[in-house]
Amino acid sequence: MTTTGPDALHAERYRIAASRDARFDGQFVTAVHSTGIYCRPSCPARTPRSAGVTFYGTSAAAHLAGYRACKRCLPEATPGSPEWDLREDVAARAVRLVLDGVVEREGVPGLAARVGYSERQLNRIMTEELGAGPKALSRAHRAQTARTLLTGSDLPVADVAFAAGFASVRQFNDTVREVFAMTPTELRSRRSAPPAAGDGALNVHLPARPPFDGQGLLEWHALHALPGLEQVGTDDAGRVTSYGRLLDLPGGPAWFRASVAGDAVAAPGAVAGAVTPGEGRRSPRTRTGIDVAVRVTALSDLPALVARVRALFDLDVDPVAVDAVLGSVPELAPAVARVPGLRLPGSVDAHEVVVRTLIGQQVSVAAARTAQTRLVAALGAPVSDALLPGGRLFPTVATIAERGREVLRGPVARVDTVMRVTAALADGSLVVHGGQSLDELRAGLLAVRGIGPWTADYVALRVRHHPDLLLHSDLAVRNGAQELGLPGTARELSLWSERVAPWRSYLTMHCWRPIVDRATTRAAATSTDPGKDPR
């Protein structure tokens, strides 16, 4: 959506709602004055008159205005808005942190401190920009998480309350009734039984907008997987079927395993993008996204884990908008047609990405993985067998800063850089997290001796999930660009790439794709991937 001005924006959103364009589900909601409910743009109900609706950028704003979620189209069962990755302003930075659970863990003061504003200023900015302040947005996020768990898992209702971040079951019951006009038990009755994950894992389906190249991301993560920390599942032909890993969350270690949701048409009555088949009253639609099996130490960590998995698989992007720009360029049209809906690899731990990036500079993927595996085996904290037998977490930056020289090999300058960076991350003099602006994140990294533009941009692509970064100095990117018929020198490729802004990060992935495909084919042929999931 590019139209500006309140009247023009209203008219544009009304046209979208009238056309029932599912691509915009999650980007705004339509509040209907006569019924007091709000819907996703693709709701199949009859479209009211333009004067009879108000459009809100967030469900939280609709909640504050007194509207309730539609029981027919389930507006909370959609991917999130891609706007938060595109925007660099304070409101967008704050939303990214809210989705990661910062308000639940640190309160609004902690959120305000992270973005560098007072609580009062932050509340004013977010209310003006989004129609709701931090507390309201956090409350809406808790309600969405609760609905996801009620309709997409077998978790007991009382456990859902605390897993979603509510302080009490009573608060949970009141919020669910207020937002959805249903009790938690009534919401649960609308779900089909989720598939069994085994081993006591909780199952959740995370929706994505089609087209979705989830298989490409599984293969990308599989090529970088570290034994003990990450696990790769394959079929008899060596094809990657799942990717899992351990991660450290505020409440303790956690584990998840992700696989691409089946392409089969959902059960009758399913809603496209819904958390589980059996919800809603629409015609059968294909279920798009990933199915995730989860184990956590603390149930309260579930929202943060879900948010990080969503970022890891780039589930909130608008792939049609990306492919429209890239596919309009003759040189890229065949690549986009071959791999529609290509996604960016995100991260579940910003510090881990920084360390692994530094270790992997100017060496092959295999060599980097060998060095990183050694680091995990020597310094990673073991986890309980209930999470993953024999598993280890990626070591903390404090541990690496203290003992890294015992394990790290290679050029002295690179080891020195790793030690310098981990010490700075550990003492807080260097800050890296997804809530930063691109300029802030890059400036902090580039101020550290030993970190150059490629490292800063790669970290920003993974951690900040920025959509418009071309790694033009990367040799593999340049080689891949030449295979696609694009300029092969760094300067020429950088200049050429301006025509596909603001989606140059996706151009980077298309340039990497031939290399990933060949490596995946070799791995499948030999079936010797050291990160193979033993189950």
Side-chain angles (χ1 to χ4, degrees):
M1 295 178 292
T2 57
T3 309
T4 59
D7 293 339
L9 182 60
H10 181 95
E12 183 177 27
R13 287 179 168 176
Y14 185 78
R15 287 194 297 272
I16 291 168
S19 67
R20 297 181 174 84
D21 191 339
R23 178 160 63 99
F24 294 91
D25 287 353
Q27 300 193 39
F28 66 89
V29 296
T30 305
V32 183
H33 303 167
S34 60
T35 62
I37 65 171
Y38 67 90
C39 305
R40 60 167 83 188
S42 66
C43 183
R46 183 175 62 86
T47 305
R49 294 178 301 107
S50 176
V53 298
T54 299
F55 298 106
Y56 294 98
T58 65
S59 60
H63 296 164
L64 288 179
Y67 294 92
R68 290 178 171 176
C70 176
K71 297 180 182 179
R72 183 173 187 182
C73 70
L74 299 169
E76 312 299 315
T78 62
S81 174
E83 189 175 3
W84 312 131
D85 282 334
L86 283 167
R87 287 172 52 171
E88 291 288 326
D89 60 341
V90 175
R93 291 167 55 201
V95 167
R96 293 196 294 271
L97 293 171
V98 168
L99 295 177
D100 193 49
V102 168
V103 172
E104 280 79 9
R105 296 193 299 271
E106 304 173 21
V108 177
L111 176 67
R114 285 189 179 228
V115 297
Y117 282 77
S118 69
E119 293 181 59
R120 182 176 180 181
Q121 287 176 309
L122 180 61
N123 188 72
R124 176 181 56 78
I125 290 170
M126 296 185 73
T127 301
E128 289 178 356
E129 291 287 327
L130 310 174
K135 287 185 177 179
L137 286 169
S138 178
R139 178 174 179 268
H141 180 53
R142 290 197 300 273
Q144 292 169 2
T145 301
R147 195 209 59 80
T148 297
L149 296 175
L150 286 168
T151 59
S153 79
D154 280 327
L155 199 65
V157 173
D159 288 345
V160 169
F162 298 107
F166 290 94
S168 67
V169 173
R170 179 177 179 178
Q171 182 190 61
F172 162 69
N173 290 334
D174 291 344
T175 299
V176 169
R177 277 195 295 265
E178 181 180 342
V179 172
F180 302 109
M182 289 186 285
T183 66
T185 302
E186 289 171 333
L187 259 179
R188 166 139 289 180
S189 69
R190 298 170 67 87
R191 65 121 165 90
S192 297
D199 301 328
L202 171 68
N203 296 275
V204 182
H205 173 72
L206 303 181
R209 296 180 180 87
F212 175 52
D213 179 37
Q215 184 62 36
L217 273 189
L218 288 181
E219 292 167 356
W220 195 94
H221 289 303
L223 289 176
H224 299 82
L226 307 183
L229 173 72
E230 297 165 289
Q231 307 84 44
V232 177
T234 59
D235 58 19
D236 292 340
R239 178 182 171 86
V240 178
T241 56
S242 67
Y243 165 78
R245 64 159 294 153
L246 294 164
L247 66 160
D248 201 15
L249 295 173
W255 169 90
F256 72 85
R257 181 178 64 237
S259 57
V260 178
D263 294 330
V265 175
V271 179
V275 169
T276 188
E279 296 180 348
R281 302 175 186 139
R282 302 177 66 184
S283 58
R285 299 288 295 276
T286 300
R287 198 162 173 257
T288 305
I290 60 173
D291 292 325
V292 187
V294 175
R295 298 193 196 100
V296 293
T297 301
L299 283 174
S300 58
D301 281 335
L302 266 175
L305 186 149
V306 167
R308 295 182 194 190
V309 173
R310 292 197 66 82
L312 187 70
F313 284 86
D314 198 12
L315 297 183
D316 293 334
V317 71
D318 179 353
V320 175
V322 176
D323 287 356
V325 173
L326 271 60
S328 67
V329 180
E331 297 91 331
L332 288 176
V336 173
R338 185 172 64 254
V339 188
L342 184 144
R343 304 299 169 105
L344 300 179
S347 73
V348 296
D349 187 296
H351 290 177
E352 177 186 324
V353 169
V354 174
V355 174
R356 291 177 69 165
T357 302
L358 292 172
I359 293 175
Q361 288 182 126
Q362 299 179 332
V363 298
S364 68
V365 171
R369 191 163 64 173
T370 297
Q372 294 160 0
T373 299
R374 186 187 306 119
L375 187 70
V376 170
L379 303 182
V383 301
S384 70
D385 287 348
L387 278 180
L388 185 71
R392 288 182 176 270
L393 296 169
F394 195 85
T396 66
V397 289
T399 299
I400 298 172
E402 180 182 354
R403 299 181 52 199
R405 289 192 188 278
E406 303 170 13
V407 182
L408 295 172
R409 303 288 184 269
V412 173
R414 182 184 302 152
V415 174
D416 286 345
T417 298
V418 173
M419 300 303 295
R420 187 162 47 247
V421 170
T422 53
L425 289 169
D427 66 23
S429 56
L430 173 62
V431 177
V432 177
H433 62 71
Q436 294 175 289
S437 69
L438 176 62
D439 290 343
E440 183 183 15
L441 189 153
R442 290 184 83 254
L445 288 169
L446 291 172
V448 180
R449 183 162 52 90
I451 293 183
W454 180 90
T455 300
D457 284 348
Y458 180 81
V459 170
L461 188 152
R462 297 287 308 280
V463 172
R464 170 59 185 78
H465 223 247
H466 198 280
D468 198 30
L469 289 167
L470 176 69
L471 303 183
H472 58 275
S473 64
D474 186 282
L475 179 59
V477 169
R478 297 203 306 272
N479 289 341
Q482 286 184 302
E483 291 190 41
L484 296 175
L486 310 183
T489 67
R491 182 176 183 278
E492 290 177 342
L493 182 60
S494 180
L495 292 173
W496 184 94
S497 71
E498 293 177 3
R499 68 188 69 185
V500 296
W503 308 115
R504 283 175 282 193
S505 296
Y506 295 88
L507 171 60
T508 296
M509 295 304 297
H510 274 290
C511 291
W512 267 333
R513 187 58 184 254
I515 290 90
V516 173
D517 286 345
R518 285 195 292 272
T520 300
T521 300
R522 288 195 298 269
T526 58
S527 297
T528 57
D529 190 326
K532 186 173 181 179
D533 191 339
R535 286 168 302 209

